[in-house]
Structures are given as C-alpha cells and as structure tokens.
Amino acid sequence: MFLFKISICITFLLFTIGCGCHRPDQNGTINFHEDDTNPLIVLFHGLGGDVSSFKTLQEALENEFGKDSVVALDYITKEQTLLYSIKEQSNKCFGKLSKKEPNLKNRPTLLIGHSQGGLRAYRMFHEYKDILNVKGIITLATPWEGAPVIDTVKRLNQLDTITGIKNEALYVRYFTPPVLNDMYRLSYSMGQPTNWIEQELVSRLEKFPALEVFVGCYDLKPGSTFLEWIQDKLPEEEVPILAIGGGLSDFKIFLPKESSYESSYDFKDLNTAWGKIIVGEADLDLIDKHDMIVPLYSQLALHITNKENFKRKVIEDALHGQLLNKFPIETSKSILCHPTMVKEVIQFGKDIFYSDAITSEYQVSEYN
C-alpha cells in the first residue's frame, strides 16, 4: 500500500534542472583523445523522473562533445527523489559517479540538472568541490527559491478545516465563476466532459499536502532548511552558473491542433487564477510568469543573487513538463526538449570547456 501511494505521487509529479580538450573539427564535432582527462557532462533528472527525460539533450550533447563525455545519472530512482533529502541524493550520486569515473579531479566537468535535479547537482558540487573539477553548472526550470504552490495549497487546506467543506477555500479564492467558465470551454474544446479540466486540476492540487511529508519534496518548500542553505551559499558562489527558465503559462497550449473553435479565446481568467496558485500572491508583478509548475523568479534565483557569474536565460514558450496526462504537449514545448535550451546548453558547454572565462552573453536584462 505504501509503494502504491508513492506511485500515485510520482505519477502526479511526472506531469509535473586550458582544460585539455580539443577544438571542434570541420564538421562541428569535438574529437577527444581516448584518455580520462576528457570533459565530462553529468545530467541530473528531476523529481519523480528518470534518465529518459534527457533523451533529446543527451543525444545533442553526445553529437557535440562525444558519447564518452556524457553521463545521465540513473543512480537515484523515482522513489528516491521523494524518500531522500536532496543532500542525501547528492551524496549517493557522488558515491556512484566516483566509482564510475575515478579520475574526476582531472576531468573538467559540467553539471546539468532539471527541476529538483538542478539543486541536487549544486549540492553535490558544493559538498565535493575539492574532489570534482566543475567548470560550470546549468539548471533547467530549477526551483532555487522553492515551489510556492506547496504553501498555497496548505493554506487553502487549513481554511477548509474551519468549515469542514472540502475545497471550499479553493473555489472561493480562485475557482470563481469566470474561471470555471474558462475550464468548461477548454474541456469542451478538448472533447472532454465540461468539468474535466476542473477535476484534473483539483486532483493535482489535493496531492500536494501529501507530498510534503516526503523529505525530497519538503526540501522544495519555500523556507525549508535546504533552501535557506541555498540562500546562504549561492550569493558567494564563484563557479559559472546558467539558470534557464521557462515562461509558458497559457492553457491554450493544451488545445488540440485541429481545434479552431477557441483559437482566438485567451482563457485569461483561468490563466490568472492558476498563476496565483503557482506563483503565490506575494509577487503580483510576476503573477503570469511561471512554467505551469515553478515561478520564473524561482527558476532564475532572482531574489538570491546578482553576481555576474550567475547567468540567466528565459525561454518564453517552454513548459516545465506535462500537466494534463491525457493530452501530451508538443515535445518542443517542454524545456527538456526545447531547441533553444539545447542551443544554449551547447554554447555554455563550449565556453567553459574552451576558456577560463565565459564569453557568451546570457544575461537577460529585463530580470536584472
């Protein structure tokens, strides 16, 4: 029964971040000597995910840097991303990686993590920086400042206990008649019963309080001990970091391509309500900035650091991942497969492996 409950949580979360190398040859592919001082690129999947989520990026990196230079870590299972703290996960990752790659000190390394995986990568780097030779870190949709939705739903549940009416606070505060109307129109356009979107979103929000009991998820809660550690360490960090964030927050993305009935409808009320739930109401100027799961300010660590070595890139039409299980999004709209993400990651990798200083311009002026 316990494992069954974990499986349910994971299903939800899946809807839910001179170095001795050679220049590219004429066809753009990097050729390395067959030794153990080649660059190393390590991929960390997100909460509830697995290495398959990196298929697109891994293939692109292997084509560019060589197959032997890319390692997608499969040492942390889907369940372990929930059951173990991010610190414990990072320790497990390092233990396995050091056995697989015994010459880590001599291998210039790039760490890349999606969502929770970005925090796992940073924690491993910080704990073992004297042993690793990390030249840079890339995070994809990583909640550097946490996932406020956890607090939003907890607060709503506390309000519901006062009246004893399930979901009353949710409907009074966010799911108003105009919002429900948007849900009904979207459901109808998707060929579903009119209350389908409503039921899908409510069922997901109901699971958040249960997920908080797992330490791997609790670490992502704003104000957690782990995130306080991030706020303390990140502003002093010297290693180059590129935080790539997604900003696609329009439910219209889920409309079937063949549907033209609602093509001109903006679902404004639904988008605004979901933004308040995901982002929280403390940052009203950023209310529409999120990737359906994590606020953009959190993905970019906007309130934590302004150091020049911390670069930011926003991909406006990228989602965190799957939100509605019955309707897969276009592959290129996921931040894990987005062509702009792939391009930025490869360029950042070339910069840190070919030079001691990053030369490309990643800083996004409107967020600094």
Side-chain angles (χ1 to χ4, degrees):
M1 178 61 71
F2 179 66
L3 292 178
F4 175 73
K5 290 181 178 180
I6 291 178
S7 298
I8 293 177
C9 291
I10 291 174
T11 299
F12 160 70
L13 288 166
L14 287 176
F15 79 80
T16 4
I17 194 223
C19 61
C21 57
H22 297 272
R23 294 282 181 177
D25 62 15
Q26 292 182 348
N27 64 12
T29 302
I30 299 173
N31 293 323
F32 299 114
H33 289 309
E34 293 297 327
D35 60 34
D36 56 1
T37 60
N38 294 340
L40 176 65
I41 301 173
V42 187
L43 306 177
F44 299 75
H45 64 74
L47 182 71
D50 57 39
V51 295
S52 65
S53 62
F54 278 117
K55 183 177 186 297
T56 298
L57 179 58
Q58 184 172 355
E59 290 179 353
L61 290 171
E62 289 175 349
N63 289 335
E64 192 68 45
F65 297 99
K67 190 171 184 179
D68 293 337
S69 292
V70 184
V71 175
L73 292 182
D74 58 359
Y75 311 140
I76 296 296
T77 66
K78 296 178 180 180
E79 290 83 3
Q80 287 175 327
T81 63
L82 287 167
L83 297 176
Y84 294 100
S85 69
I86 294 177
K87 178 180 179 180
E88 291 174 310
Q89 293 177 43
S90 67
N91 290 341
K92 287 178 177 291
C93 284
F94 177 79
K96 295 287 187 177
L97 182 64
S98 60
K99 290 181 180 179
K100 179 180 176 63
E101 307 289 342
N103 197 27
L104 289 173
K105 185 67 175 179
N106 294 323
R107 298 198 68 176
T109 301
L110 169 62
L111 307 181
I112 304 174
H114 172 241
S115 196
Q116 186 209 58
L119 299 177
R120 193 184 313 133
Y122 180 69
R123 187 64 180 78
M124 188 184 84
F125 154 73
H126 203 277
E127 183 73 15
Y128 302 101
K129 61 173 59 179
D130 293 336
I131 302 173
L132 296 165
N133 184 17
V134 174
K135 298 295 185 180
I137 299 172
I138 299 176
T139 62
L140 310 175
T142 288
W144 288 101
E145 300 186 30
V149 65
I150 299 175
D151 279 339
T152 299
V153 179
K154 182 177 181 180
R155 184 174 67 254
L156 291 175
N157 283 352
Q158 290 173 339
L159 292 174
D160 282 342
T161 59
I162 298 176
T163 63
I165 303 176
K166 186 177 182 181
N167 292 325
E168 181 185 44
L170 175 64
Y171 282 88
V172 170
R173 195 170 188 89
Y174 299 116
F175 288 1
T176 60
V179 174
L180 291 172
N181 182 64
D182 278 2
M183 291 182 181
Y184 298 158
R185 293 184 67 156
L186 182 58
S187 297
Y188 178 79
S189 298
M190 299 170 75
Q192 296 292 323
T194 54
N195 64 344
W196 185 75
I197 291 291
E198 176 189 358
Q199 292 177 342
E200 284 285 303
L201 298 183
V202 169
S203 67
R204 279 154 176 70
L205 294 174
E206 286 177 341
K207 292 182 175 67
F208 271 107
L211 293 175
E212 188 182 339
V213 304
F214 298 104
V215 65
C217 187
Y218 181 82
D219 277 348
L220 304 179
K221 180 181 178 181
S224 70
T225 300
F226 178 79
L227 291 181
E228 288 180 348
W229 177 84
I230 290 287
Q231 291 179 5
D232 180 56
K233 301 299 181 182
L234 192 59
E236 306 301 322
E237 196 53 70
E238 298 296 333
V239 69
I241 298 175
L242 170 60
I244 301 180
L248 183 52
S249 55
D250 188 351
F251 274 90
K252 189 183 292 186
I253 189 66
F254 299 107
L255 285 173
K257 288 184 178 180
E258 62 274 12
S259 175
S260 60
Y261 177 74
E262 299 290 8
S263 59
S264 62
Y265 192 73
D266 59 10
F267 298 100
K268 179 181 179 180
D269 293 304
L270 174 56
N271 289 334
T272 299
W274 191 251
K276 291 179 179 179
I277 292 171
I278 296 301
V279 179
E281 298 187 62
D283 291 279
L284 295 180
D285 58 327
L286 297 175
I287 203 66
D288 61 339
K289 300 295 184 180
H290 58 86
D291 62 359
M292 292 291 189
I293 303 296
V294 179
L296 187 56
Y297 72 77
S298 184
Q299 299 176 61
L300 303 179
L302 284 179
H303 300 135
I304 299 179
T305 181
N306 289 315
K307 291 196 68 173
E308 291 186 1
N309 65 298
F310 193 97
K311 308 298 180 181
R312 298 177 170 98
K313 176 67 181 181
V314 178
I315 305 178
E316 297 288 354
D317 63 338
L319 287 167
H320 194 92
Q322 189 63 39
L323 180 66
L324 303 175
N325 294 327
K326 287 186 179 181
F327 289 86
I329 59 172
E330 183 180 338
T331 302
S332 63
K333 295 302 182 183
S334 168
I335 199 167
L336 279 166
C337 303
H338 201 286
T340 300
M341 178 278 296
V342 174
K343 177 182 177 181
E344 296 290 341
V345 167
I346 289 175
Q347 184 60 59
F348 187 88
K350 288 179 178 179
D351 286 341
I352 64 168
F353 288 143
Y354 298 160
S355 172
D356 290 333
I358 294 181
T359 58
S360 294
E361 293 296 329
Y362 287 103
Q363 203 75 17
V364 181
S365 58
E366 67 177 292
Y367 293 105
N368 291 279

